[in-house]
């Protein structure tokens, strides 16, 4: 999945997505429980706009584009309260979600702003997403976007609050999950003077070319019994494709996928969803029972994909269709093409099958990913992961005042920073359904859990303990960088 570091799942209520993770399932999904109203899910959906610089690297290019953002100031303690910046990642940003950051904003009496990532959602600089038009889509440009917006918003706040211009600054703190969690960490690394600290939740700071640990974690999280059934099911799927190709794909409503490896990527992503987002029993319980009673494993698995992944989550077959991914017109599904571009040029995260004991098909290998990149973006497109890790430091980045958090069952944690230090504390939240962004989203990580409540986590006390550590660090770091604010006379 995309980082998704998973994939972007777009449903009736579109959240701040990512994937787990996108197309290779977006980093985080956007599904919302049908029992949750839109008003309770969002703190605000009121769109605001900022004129952003297109190319921060060129002093001669003065082109601008409209970048969408949101603000929520109900808790803000004027004039010297903190400002929380929520970074949106690899998908449309449709508002400020009512997750655990809302709880933190109340506690610290903070204002909250959230900036949509360039190219995604309504913040596209161009009407075409042809490869040559994507040259300004990168994490580096996104970081400069954040810096420029943060300066603009602080200056606007100074005017609004009638504060003098003598260096007045509110204390800022940055937040992100998954790819945006990496951006949060990288922002503190590259612009330490613009934020008092960062929370990097499930932050994929290490670009990876061949990400075999991803599949290995799925097997570990599934447990031996479920893993063996998943492996058997996958072998039956591969055999079925050879014998009754269309019939097998029709079970998954996926006959449009002409490339068998694309279909097997979809089924691999569907497996990932159960563990990445804290719903392992949705997959393992029916599969293990089917094996025990001699039921059809492929039929059982296809039912999980149709009824849970597609009907409930909003997983879309066409986002695995190369014909669809080659579409250069801006649409509601453009995030998948955009995320693949970032994956294919700077981040990698190729979720390849390990040579031994793999859960996913061996057809999901390095050549599959390189061929897909070439198919979507043309010759010469290659993920420069070494350059990315050299620029940011990978999981050995050297910075201060960054909190790293990861769920124990999240496959993406192996691209994060898991070693803890005094300046950059790192916490593994351990529980059976602790996945992607547990500290912010609660359990399960999808559907939406209001205020990210931890009561449905298998070990809520462990989640709450890590959250208290987060609060302590944020409190300390805000106090250390707070400056007196003077009002104009």
């Amino acid at each position: 999945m995309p980082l998704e570091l998973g994939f972007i799942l777009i449903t009736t209520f579109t959240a701040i997505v990512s994937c787990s993770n996108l197309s290779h399932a977006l980093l985080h999904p956007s599904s919302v429980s049908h029992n949750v109203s839109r008003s309770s899910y969002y703190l605000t959906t009121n769109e605001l706009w900022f004129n952003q610089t297109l190319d921060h690297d060129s002093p001669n290019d003065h082109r601008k584009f409209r970048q969408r953002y949101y603000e929520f100031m109900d808790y803000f303690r004027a004039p010297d309260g903190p400002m929380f910046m929520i970074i949106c990642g690899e998908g449309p940003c449709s508002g400020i979600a009512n997750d655990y950051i809302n709880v933190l904003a109340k506690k610290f009496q903070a204002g909250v702003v959230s900036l949509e990532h360039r190219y995604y959602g309504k913040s596209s600089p161009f009407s075409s997403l042809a490869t040559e038009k994507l040259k300004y889509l990168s994490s580096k440009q996104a970081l400069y976007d954040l810096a420029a917006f943060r300066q603009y918003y602080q200056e606007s706040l100074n005017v609004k609050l009638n504060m003098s211009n003598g260096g007045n600054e509110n204390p800022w703190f940055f937040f992100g999950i998954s790819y945006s969690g990496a951006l949060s960490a990288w922002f503190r690394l590259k612009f330490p003077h613009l934020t008092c600290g960062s929370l990097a939740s499930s932050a994929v700071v290490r670009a990876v070319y061949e990400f075999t640990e991803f599949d290995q974690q799925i097997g570990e999280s599934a447990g031996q019994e479920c893993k063996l059934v998943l492996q058997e099911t996958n072998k039956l799927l591969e055999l079925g494709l050879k014998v009754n190709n269309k019939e097998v794909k029709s079970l998954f409503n996926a006959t449009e996928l002409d490339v068998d490896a694309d279909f097997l990527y979809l089924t691999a992503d569907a497996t990932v969803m159960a563990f990445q987002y804290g719903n392992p029993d949705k997959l393992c319980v029916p599969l293990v029972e089917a094996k025990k009673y001699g039921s059809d494993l492929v039929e059982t698995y296809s039912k999980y994909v149709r009824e849970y992944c597609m009907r409930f989550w909003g997983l879309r077959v066409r986002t695995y269709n190369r014909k669809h991914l080659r579409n250069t017109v801006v649409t509601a599904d453009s995030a998948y093409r955009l995320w693949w571009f970032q994956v294919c040029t700077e981040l990698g995260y190729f979720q390849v099958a390990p040579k031994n004991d793999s859960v996913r098909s061996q057809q999901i290998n390095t050549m599959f990913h390189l061929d897909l990149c070439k198919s979507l973006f043309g010759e010469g497109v290659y993920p420069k992961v070494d350059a990315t890790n050299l620029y940011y430091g990978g999981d050995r980045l050297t910075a201060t005042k960054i909190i790293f958090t990861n769920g124990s069952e999240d496959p993406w944690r192996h691209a994060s920073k898991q070693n803890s230090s005094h300046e950059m504390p790192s916490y593994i939240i351990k529980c059976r359904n602790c996945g992607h962004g547990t500290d912010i989203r609660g359990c399960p990580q999808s559907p939406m859990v209001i205020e990210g409540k931890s009561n449905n986590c298998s070990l809520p006390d462990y989640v709450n303990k890590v959250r208290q550590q987060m609060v302590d660090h944020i409190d300390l770091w805000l106090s250390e960088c707070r400056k007196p604010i003077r009002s104009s006379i």
Side-chain angles (χ1 to χ4, degrees):
M1 295 183 100
L3 271 151
E4 7 201 334
L5 286 163
F7 44 145
I8 297 176
L9 301 176
I10 302 175
T11 58
T12 303
F13 300 135
T14 304
I16 302 170
V17 288
S18 80
C19 58
S20 131
N21 269 238
L22 260 170
S23 37
H24 51 303
L26 293 177
L27 290 192
H28 34 283
S30 58
S31 55
V32 182
S33 171
H34 297 298
N35 296 321
V36 178
S37 69
R38 185 180 179 87
S39 60
S40 59
Y41 177 65
Y42 289 110
L43 299 180
T44 180
T45 57
N46 184 42
E47 298 176 343
L48 301 170
W49 301 91
F50 171 62
N51 288 325
Q52 183 65 265
T53 297
L54 176 63
D55 185 6
H56 296 282
D57 289 332
S58 174
N60 301 317
D61 189 341
H62 303 296
R63 287 178 294 174
K64 302 279 187 176
F65 70 96
R66 278 162 49 90
Q67 192 165 22
R68 182 167 59 166
Y69 75 95
Y70 303 87
E71 68 175 1
F72 183 77
M73 302 296 284
D74 287 20
Y75 310 138
F76 180 65
R77 183 187 69 249
D80 63 343
M83 288 299 306
F84 285 177
M85 167 72 86
I86 301 175
I87 305 172
C88 291
E90 70 284 18
C93 188
S94 299
I96 296 178
N98 184 9
D99 53 23
Y100 187 67
I101 297 177
N102 177 37
V103 178
L104 294 173
K106 285 181 186 177
K107 180 176 181 61
F108 289 100
Q109 297 178 284
V112 183
V113 290
S114 186
L115 184 68
E116 186 168 60
H117 196 293
R118 58 170 50 209
Y119 281 85
Y120 291 93
K122 296 184 179 181
S123 299
S124 181
F126 305 105
S127 58
S128 168
L129 299 180
T131 302
E132 63 271 16
K133 296 292 188 180
L134 301 179
K135 63 183 293 186
Y136 307 106
L137 173 57
S138 69
S139 60
K140 184 179 178 182
Q141 293 279 6
L143 292 176
Y144 277 102
D145 286 348
L146 291 165
F149 173 78
R150 186 258 191 229
Q151 294 298 84
Y152 155 80
Y153 195 88
Q154 181 64 67
E155 292 170 3
S156 300
L157 196 60
N158 288 350
V159 172
K160 186 183 300 184
L161 298 176
N162 193 32
M163 295 189 294
S164 65
N165 294 322
N168 280 332
E169 291 267 308
N170 293 81
W172 286 70
F173 207 94
F174 277 54
F175 297 82
I177 304 174
S178 197
Y179 165 60
S180 67
L183 291 176
S184 181
W186 294 337
F187 189 85
R188 172 65 189 174
L189 171 71
K190 297 298 183 180
F191 299 96
H193 58 296
L194 296 182
T195 180
C196 303
S198 290
L199 173 67
S201 174
S202 298
V204 288
V205 292
R206 179 171 70 97
V208 189
Y209 183 51
E210 295 176 318
F211 197 8
T212 56
E213 301 102 320
F214 189 92
D215 186 84
Q216 290 166 348
Q217 181 62 57
I218 295 301
E220 181 180 325
S221 296
Q224 189 65 16
E225 186 177 29
C226 184
K227 182 179 78 170
L228 289 173
V229 181
L230 283 168
Q231 290 172 328
E232 182 178 351
T233 303
N234 191 65
K235 291 178 181 178
L236 291 171
L237 273 173
E238 291 180 306
L239 178 61
L241 290 174
K242 294 178 181 179
V243 179
N244 295 302
N245 192 285
K246 289 294 184 181
E247 183 178 334
V248 170
K249 290 176 181 176
S250 67
L251 289 173
F252 296 81
N253 298 328
T255 55
E256 68 180 81
L257 299 181
D258 297 327
V259 179
D260 288 352
D262 292 344
F263 170 75
L264 292 170
Y265 199 98
L266 179 152
T267 59
D269 265 358
T271 293
V272 170
M273 290 170 61
F275 305 102
Q276 180 170 314
Y277 299 120
N279 287 295
D281 291 344
K282 295 287 187 181
L283 172 62
C284 285
V285 169
L287 267 185
V288 170
E289 287 186 355
K291 175 63 177 177
K292 180 179 179 181
Y293 295 109
S295 301
D296 189 309
L297 292 180
V298 172
E299 175 60 41
T300 301
Y301 184 69
S302 68
K303 183 178 180 181
Y304 156 78
V305 174
R306 292 193 313 271
E307 297 187 359
Y308 179 66
C309 300
M310 294 179 177
R311 185 177 304 170
F312 184 74
W313 272 63
L315 175 64
R316 297 180 179 183
V317 173
R318 68 173 178 266
T319 59
Y320 294 82
N321 187 327
R322 297 183 187 208
K323 294 178 183 177
H324 177 78
L325 292 170
R326 283 193 288 266
N327 182 15
T328 60
V329 177
V330 177
T331 69
D333 286 340
S334 293
Y336 292 87
R337 175 175 173 81
L338 295 170
W339 179 244
W340 270 114
F341 181 80
Q342 292 193 260
V343 164
C344 291
T345 55
E346 65 171 336
L347 299 172
Y349 305 131
F350 287 175
Q351 296 159 27
V352 300
K355 292 182 179 179
N356 300 305
D357 205 29
S358 173
V359 175
R360 64 184 53 210
S361 169
Q362 291 294 329
Q363 293 185 45
I364 310 302
N365 53 27
T366 305
M367 287 308 301
F368 163 80
H369 289 85
L370 292 176
D371 179 67
L372 182 57
C373 292
K374 178 182 176 181
S375 174
L376 300 187
F377 306 110
E379 297 281 356
V381 174
Y382 185 85
K384 300 174 182 177
V385 297
D386 290 341
T388 300
N389 288 330
L390 182 64
Y391 184 70
Y392 295 120
D395 55 3
R396 296 185 296 171
L397 79 170
T398 301
T400 63
K401 298 182 178 179
I402 303 172
I403 307 165
F404 288 90
T405 57
N406 286 282
S408 59
E409 309 311 301
D410 182 14
W412 289 104
R413 71 182 177 93
H414 299 286
S416 187
K417 187 179 186 302
Q418 300 186 81
N419 294 326
S420 189
S421 66
H422 177 71
E423 291 288 0
M424 290 187 291
S426 179
Y427 302 99
I428 304 295
I429 307 174
K430 298 178 180 179
C431 76
R432 187 170 177 274
N433 60 344
C434 286
H436 210 56
T438 293
D439 56 325
I440 300 302
R441 301 189 182 280
C443 300
Q445 289 71 55
S446 184
M448 171 70 184
V449 179
I450 298 298
E451 295 188 343
K453 294 184 184 299
S454 61
N455 53 297
N456 287 325
C457 299
S458 64
L459 294 174
D461 289 346
Y462 204 105
V463 179
N464 295 336
K465 181 179 179 180
V466 171
R467 285 178 169 177
Q468 185 56 53
Q469 298 274 18
M470 290 160 49
V471 168
D472 292 345
H473 289 303
I474 294 171
D475 190 26
L476 174 63
W477 296 343
L478 285 175
S479 67
E480 288 179 344
C481 78
R482 191 179 297 276
K483 297 178 181 178
I485 292 182
R486 302 179 297 276
S487 297
S488 299
I489 299 176

